[in-house]
Amino acid sequence: MKYYLTPFTLFILGCYNNPTPPSEITGARVSGVFYRQLDCEALNEEIIFLTAREKELIVLQEIRMIESRSQQVWANGSGKGDGVEASELHRVKGEIFAARKVFQNKGCM
């Protein structure tokens, strides 16, 4: 039995290789052990740093989505998929959550 790829099939297959929107990337489960040894000031600085890195990664992931859309035009619907940006954003979101949780548990203001 022979299988033929129709334009519709190629479009559907290409959709599976689209990058994940930043809003749909959840945070990884990160232990707060590292953050427990920091004082409130260091925790605050770490949260500020991680939040800035999160913003950078969101922009990079959005750029990847735009590039993937333009690639789909000339590559028969095949997108770029997720790259390093998505996995790092996943990790950073988890680290932010862990750091904020320790920040709150220590009673920092």
Side-chain angles (χ1 to χ4, degrees):
M1 179 179 259
K2 291 184 179 180
Y3 294 99
Y4 296 99
L5 294 177
T6 64
F8 178 72
T9 306
L10 288 173
F11 174 75
I12 295 299
L13 291 174
C15 291
Y16 287 112
N17 201 23
N18 285 338
T20 307
S23 60
E24 293 180 13
I25 297 175
T26 60
R29 295 182 62 95
V30 176
S31 173
V33 173
F34 170 75
Y35 300 109
R36 285 188 201 131
Q37 64 189 353
L38 301 176
D39 63 351
C40 290
E41 185 179 339
L43 268 172
N44 189 41
E45 289 175 9
E46 184 70 13
I47 291 169
I48 290 169
F49 169 77
L50 289 170
T51 303
R53 182 65 183 145
E54 178 188 30
K55 289 177 184 176
E56 291 172 0
L57 291 167
I58 287 172
V59 169
L60 291 173
Q61 185 69 5
E62 289 172 348
I63 290 170
R64 187 169 187 89
M65 291 177 62
I66 292 167
E67 290 173 351
S68 181
R69 278 189 223 118
S70 65
Q71 177 179 326
Q72 286 176 340
V73 172
W74 58 266
N76 293 330
S78 179
K80 287 183 128 185
D82 284 327
V84 177
E85 301 88 359
S87 61
E88 189 172 348
L89 181 59
H90 175 67
R91 181 185 54 80
V92 167
K93 282 185 174 185
E95 289 176 354
I96 291 171
F97 180 77
R100 285 182 178 160
K101 190 171 185 177
V102 171
F103 189 83
Q104 290 174 346
N105 289 343
K106 283 190 169 188
C108 300
M109 293 292 168

